[in-house]
Amino acid sequence: MLREQVKDTLFGFEEFTDSWRKSPRGTSSTIHCRKGCSGCCSLAVHATFPEAAAATATLKPLQQKALSCYMERLSAMLPGLTDLKSYLRRHRRDLGPCPFLSESGACGIYEVRPLTCRALLSTRPAEWCSVDFASLDDWDRQAYESGLDRQVVAWPTHYVAATQEAARHRENTLLDTMRQRFGWSLAGNFPLMVWLAHPDRLGRSHLSGQEAADILHALGYRHPLLLELATHATFEAPR
């Protein structure tokens, strides 16, 4: 089953991360990620539908309620989404933190969190993960960039490049498997897809690509900034 592949993929990625952190490049880098730091938990998380479906099955009532509130805010924001930069900025400003974040600032779905979250290892203290870099003046931006190790990070961010590259490879594999088994694949906004993976929506068995497209259109979420739906004929590997 695809859910078992997701489980194996997440486990394999943790092994890769552990191996990287023990490598010469990893041991020379300080990773500041800690339980409760949560600065990156207000970012727009892009993941695959199989990962979202795995998370849907684990949600507790309070998490489902928080997800419903998130969906209300997302629906209200949707008409004004015109470009990627504004979407990413408004996601952090208007939608607030991840709906699966606990009151203590810890991840409430840690065991099934998606690859994107697992891959985001910060080489800077947690406060940098909350900075809106568009608001920095030239001097502060230059000072920030000059302190980055370009052999380690996905420049100009302060996040480790190797783990993000490994995560993208595994995401593509999950999408390819989904497409082969069902004729379509979906990637995009993680909380939205967790909501969509409910059995009353895209969580039904044996949906065709056209049926999935029709459901997304009827629900009002066939938006290129939020979701990437691909079929056998239209599939392109995510960048």
Side-chain angles (χ1 to χ4, degrees), residues 177-205:
T177 301
M178 182 180 179
R179 192 178 75 261
Q180 290 176 10
R181 293 188 183 181
F182 304 112
W184 60 280
S185 63
L186 187 67
N189 177 289
F190 179 67
L192 168 58
M193 290 192 299
V194 172
W195 183 80
L196 288 170
H198 190 277
D200 291 340
R201 303 175 190 106
L202 295 184
R204 309 173 198 172
S205 299

Side-chain angles (χ1 to χ4, degrees), residues 4-225:
E4 286 301 313
Q5 183 174 344
V6 171
K7 181 179 178 181
D8 291 344
T9 297
L10 297 180
F11 179 79
F13 184 77
E14 290 302 312
E15 288 188 324
F16 171 83
T17 301
D18 289 343
S19 176
W20 181 85
R21 295 188 72 163
K22 293 173 184 176
S23 70
R25 190 158 289 176
T27 54
S28 68
S29 306
T30 301
I31 303 301
H32 294 269
C33 303
R34 300 289 185 274
K35 183 177 180 179
C37 57
S38 72
C40 62
C41 298
S42 60
L43 299 174
V45 174
H46 186 283
T48 69
F49 188 74
E51 295 171 274
T56 300
T58 70
L59 295 186
K60 298 179 176 64
L62 284 178
Q63 293 169 331
Q64 293 172 342
K65 182 178 180 180
L67 178 59
S68 296
C69 293
Y70 174 94
M71 291 302 300
E72 290 176 3
R73 295 193 297 274
L74 180 63
S75 296
M77 190 178 79
L78 195 59
L81 295 182
T82 58
D83 62 90
L84 181 60
K85 284 187 177 180
S86 63
Y87 162 59
L88 297 177
R89 187 174 299 113
R90 291 191 62 192
H91 188 284
R92 169 166 273 179
R93 185 189 68 197
D94 299 339
L95 291 186
C98 174
F100 311 124
L101 194 67
S102 71
E103 291 183 357
S104 66
C107 178
I109 58 166
Y110 190 79
E111 295 301 321
V112 291
R113 70 197 189 282
L115 288 163
T116 297
C117 297
R118 295 167 189 262
L120 215 60
L121 301 184
S122 175
T123 63
R124 286 292 187 91
E127 56 266 23
W128 281 99
C129 299
S130 301
V131 170
D132 179 358
F133 288 94
S135 66
L136 295 180
D137 59 33
D138 290 343
W139 189 91
D140 285 336
R141 185 177 294 106
Q142 290 174 10
Y144 164 80
E145 292 178 353
S146 67
L148 299 176
D149 183 348
R150 297 199 187 193
Q151 298 298 312
V152 172
V153 302
W155 193 88
T157 77
H158 57 282
Y159 298 112
V160 172
T163 49
Q164 293 184 71
E165 291 168 2
R168 281 193 291 270
H169 173 74
R170 288 164 172 78
E171 287 171 342
N172 287 343
T173 299
L174 287 174
L175 291 172
D176 187 51
T177 301
M178 182 180 179
R179 192 178 75 261
Q180 290 176 10
R181 293 188 183 181
F182 304 112
W184 60 280
S185 63
L186 187 67
N189 177 289
F190 179 67
L192 168 58
M193 290 192 299
V194 172
W195 183 80
L196 288 170
H198 190 277
D200 291 340
R201 303 175 190 106
L202 295 184
R204 309 173 198 172
S205 299
H206 308 300
L207 282 179
S208 68
Q210 186 57 57
E211 287 172 326
D214 290 343
I215 291 171
L216 292 176
H217 181 75
L219 292 171
Y221 291 108
R222 189 78 190 272
H223 195 295
L225 291 175

